[in-house]
Amino acid sequence: MAPRGVATPDVRERLFAAAERVVEREGPGALTSRSVTTEAGCAKGLLHTHFAGFDEFVAELCLDRFARTAAKARALSRLAGQGTVAHNLEAVAFALFDSGGPAISGLAMTRPAAALRIREALEGGAPGFTAIQEAITGYLKAEQGLGRVAGTIAPDTVALAIVGTAHHLLMTGRPDTPDPRPALGRLVAAMVDG
């Protein structure tokens, strides 16, 4: 535990990572401001010093993880012509499920203030599913230009199918349901190889 009055470096990420560990280990019902700060090894009030409340914390956690996945999706364009198309797409789609994604998203949807904050941020241009979809579309067009994806495939439709399926699996998944990655991997393979 950091002593009182001593600055805690990278507070947001430290708290976000702690929240993910709590959710992975104990499920979304165990996530409280106290469980997060205890897991992070910091003062109990630190979360409320950096966030207006627990709902804002949950919303910011979700938005941060969406932004990370969107950045990974934007990096797809640099992978055109490398590896396999299916593997490159899976890496982005699977990133949505890292670090307790379904449980944290589900938690956000059960907290109306957090859900509203997320919706307003996404409508205001924060990166989310739309940014991921656009990046996948651009990547598939680049791979088509290289002849690695059939010209008969509609990149925007494939991107919508991948992102829409990931969204569905993310929003309907629970900690006790099977890992969604194999089903999503089969969809990706069918869309780009079939």
Side-chain angles (χ1 to χ4, degrees):
M1 174 104 41
R4 276 183 88 94
V6 175
T8 304
D10 300 322
V11 172
R12 286 174 56 93
E13 181 52 35
R14 185 172 176 180
L15 293 171
F16 290 164
E20 290 173 332
R21 289 191 304 272
V22 169
V23 168
E24 286 176 26
R25 187 177 58 244
E26 302 172 42
L31 194 66
T32 63
S33 57
R34 181 168 294 259
S35 70
V36 170
T37 54
T38 298
E39 180 71 24
C42 58
K44 302 297 178 223
L46 189 65
L47 185 142
H48 294 284
T49 300
H50 291 274
F51 300 92
F54 194 63
D55 285 325
E56 181 181 300
F57 171 77
V58 170
E60 290 297 319
L61 170 59
C62 288
L63 290 166
D64 180 79
R65 293 337 193 210
F66 277 148
R68 283 182 176 204
T69 305
K72 191 171 197 165
R74 285 190 298 274
L76 272 173
S77 63
R78 294 190 303 266
L79 297 177
Q82 300 175 36
T84 68
V85 174
H87 176 75
N88 293 340
L89 291 172
E90 284 175 357
V92 169
F94 290 2
L96 287 165
F97 299 99
D98 291 343
S99 302
I104 290 171
S105 295
L107 173 67
M109 296 304 108
T110 64
R111 302 183 67 86
L116 176 62
R117 168 80 178 92
I118 293 167
R119 186 171 59 249
E120 289 172 347
L122 293 174
E123 289 171 356
F129 288 112
T130 300
I132 297 165
Q133 182 180 335
E134 290 169 353
I136 291 173
T137 298
Y139 167 71
L140 287 169
K141 286 179 179 178
E143 291 289 17
Q144 271 184 327
L146 296 172
R148 291 174 20 112
V149 171
T152 56
I153 289 177
D156 56 339
T157 302
V158 171
L160 176 61
I162 292 169
V163 171
T165 300
H167 180 264
H168 168 73
L169 294 169
L170 188 64
M171 294 296 121
T172 60
R174 296 179 317 277
D176 61 340
T177 56
D179 183 355
R181 289 173 183 86
L184 190 54
R186 288 189 300 274
L187 173 76
V188 167
M191 298 294 285
V192 298
D193 296 335

